[in-house]
Amino acid sequence: MSKVYIKKSKLHGKGIFVSRNIKKGEIVFIIKGKKINFLIDNNEKAKIAGLNWVGIGKNKWVDPINHCISFNHSCEPNCAIKGKVTVIALRNIKKDEEITFDYSLNESDIFWHINCNCGSSKCRKIIKSIQFLPKTTFTKFSHLIPSYYKKVFIKFNISNFKNFNGLKTEWVNFIKKDFKI
Ligand SMILES: [Zn+2]
């Protein structure tokens, strides 16, 4: 039996809720979907990228077919994606609680952002890709961040650059290199 169900969320649209108590570290579900290879090297391409894609590597995303399309962001999440597609609980979660993850931990598109109103005292308000993540948040979740996103954070953290344009030049060079469909 599925551990999750979908219903209206207080955070945003529909959300994923757990149908029974979940223990810290437990697998909640596996994200399933089509693998996408896509080069996002400017604002225009970022706009046509899929709304619900989950990053799994360099220029690679999964376009989910299961409940994951309703997986909401929180700046103080109770779940994380371990490896590439395995959703695990970061703490004990009570039956009928909504599950959330931090979108920035699995996203490297520097042209992407969303506004956040998750209600957490740690809310970052504007959610961007991992290059913009505060160092403290990165350190807190680093054991769960896939190795590709860790490398991206270390090399392309915005604090390594004078400004966004400095990051943009180097980032676009990096993602264009070896890009094949
Ligand atoms: Zn927030």
Side-chain angles (χ1 to χ4, degrees), residues 14-85:
K14 286 179 180 171
I16 307 178
F17 293 76
V18 290
S19 50
R20 63 161 172 79
N21 290 344
I22 300 282
K23 286 215 166 77
K24 181 180 176 181
E26 190 176 331
I27 293 174
V28 186
F29 70 94
I30 309 282
I31 299 167
K32 290 178 184 152
K34 195 178 158 205
K35 283 191 181 135
I36 308 271
N37 257 52
F38 194 71
L39 182 69
I40 304 177
D41 54 1
N42 59 44
N43 279 317
E44 282 63 42
K45 285 193 194 162
K47 275 178 204 149
I48 60 166
L51 282 175
N52 301 302
W53 292 1
V54 177
I56 54 166
K58 185 176 177 181
N59 301 318
K60 285 184 192 136
W61 287 266
V62 168
D63 188 9
I65 51 166
N66 57 3
H67 15 261
C68 190
I69 56 167
S70 304
F71 207 0
N72 279 323
H73 165 91
S74 169
C75 299
E76 205 171 358
N78 53 16
C79 285
I81 300 172
K82 195 173 185 183
K84 290 176 177 169
V85 290

Side-chain angles (χ1 to χ4, degrees), residues 24-25 80-83 88-91 105 136-147 150:
K24 181 180 176 181
I81 300 172
K82 195 173 185 183
I88 62 151
L90 294 175
R91 58 164 171 78
L105 304 183
T136 48
T137 312
F138 176 81
T139 307
K140 189 179 166 197
F141 292 108
S142 73
H143 61 294
L144 290 162
I145 299 174
S147 59
K150 267 192 209 173

